[in-house]
Amino acid sequence: AIGLKNVTAEQRRAEEVKEKFDVVTGRAVMTLPEIANLAGNRLRIRGDVEAGGILYLKGGDLTEEIRKLNRYWRVKKTPVGKWFKEEYFEEKYVIHLY
């Protein structure tokens, strides 16, 4: 709808995916270490904020989950409230693992 030519959208369980991608997205179904272990090996590029990684929507206190991540993961935590002002989004974050 927005005219992107170099994008493939897949809606499948991570366990079913064999291909490699620049970006993997998900929502709060697993802990951060679980999604990092499951989807991390599906990434083509690692280690560059602009290049890709895992974008995961999750809420609450994520301190312990972030602490349990493999030390090689970098984490950027952006409050969803940056874009949406409704109370529902106050403790929701986009977590970028790269």
Side-chain angles (χ1 to χ4, degrees):
I2 61 174
L4 298 175
K5 306 233 185 287
N6 63 344
V7 174
T8 302
E10 300 278 340
Q11 184 177 346
R12 294 189 275 166
R13 294 192 55 81
E15 300 90 348
E16 300 171 0
V17 177
K18 303 299 179 220
E19 302 86 27
K20 299 273 186 179
F21 297 92
D22 296 328
V23 177
V24 173
T25 63
R27 57 184 171 77
V29 176
M30 301 176 175
T31 67
L32 293 174
E34 288 171 331
I35 192 65
N37 289 334
L38 190 59
N41 62 356
R42 307 294 193 280
L43 293 174
R44 198 178 343 227
I45 301 170
R46 291 264 319 260
D48 184 343
V49 173
E50 301 300 321
I54 299 170
L55 294 172
Y56 205 62
L57 180 63
K58 193 152 172 91
D61 183 357
L62 303 172
T63 306
E64 189 63 20
E65 288 186 41
I66 291 170
R67 189 188 66 72
K68 289 182 177 179
L69 283 167
N70 180 302
R71 66 186 174 109
Y72 297 106
W73 285 103
R74 295 186 206 167
V75 180
K76 182 177 179 185
K77 181 177 162 185
T78 305
V80 174
K82 175 179 179 178
W83 303 290
F84 299 98
K85 301 304 178 196
E86 292 85 356
E87 185 178 329
Y88 173 80
F89 297 107
E90 283 181 8
E91 292 187 23
K92 305 269 191 276
Y93 303 92
V94 173
I95 306 298
H96 185 183
L97 303 177
Y98 56 99

